Amino acid sequence: MKTQKSYDRVCALVLQYAQTTPDLPMAPTLSLRRDLAIDSLSLVSLTLRIGDDVGVDLIEAGVDLGNLDTVGDLVALFQTLQTGGHHGEPTAARG
C-alpha cells in the first residue's frame, strides 16, 4: 500500500512537469526526457519537490540526478528518501 501511495504521489508530481501527456496509469518505464519531455531544469525542480515532500535536502543528501532516467527511478528515489536511505539530514530536524 505504501508503495502505491509513493507511486501515485510521484506520478502526480511528474504530471506537473511533463511537457507531454502520457497514457494513464503511467508506466514506470517511461523515460523522463524522451517520453515526457522533462528538461534538465524541470528535473531539478521535480526532484527538489520530491525532497520537500519527504523532508530531505537533496543537495545535502548528495542525490545524483544523472541516474534518474525513468518514472520508476523517481519512485525508487522517493521510497529511498522516505526510509532514510540517503545520508542527508531531514530538513525538519535542522535548526
Side-chain angles (χ1 to χ4, degrees):
M1 181 69 167
K2 186 176 184 180
T3 301
Q4 186 62 44
K5 289 176 102 173
S6 299
Y7 186 77
D8 292 344
R9 180 61 186 145
V10 169
C11 287
L13 288 171
V14 167
L15 286 173
Q16 293 177 23
Y17 291 90
Q19 299 300 309
T20 62
T21 305
D23 291 334
L24 297 176
M26 201 178 302
T29 56
L30 281 178
S31 167
L32 299 170
R33 291 168 185 87
R34 286 187 313 276
D35 298 326
L36 300 170
I38 296 176
D39 62 28
S40 57
L41 184 57
S42 294
L43 182 58
V44 170
S45 297
L46 173 56
T47 54
L48 288 174
R49 288 276 307 273
I50 289 172
D52 288 345
D53 270 17
V54 295
V56 174
D57 184 323
L58 295 183
I59 295 168
E60 288 183 13
V63 173
D64 182 5
L65 301 184
N67 293 328
L68 300 174
D69 295 319
T70 65
V71 171
D73 292 339
L74 285 177
V75 173
L77 172 65
F78 188 91
Q79 292 171 337
T80 298
L81 294 173
Q82 278 187 316
T83 60
H86 279 269
H87 299 292
E89 181 182 2
T91 53
R94 290 194 315 260

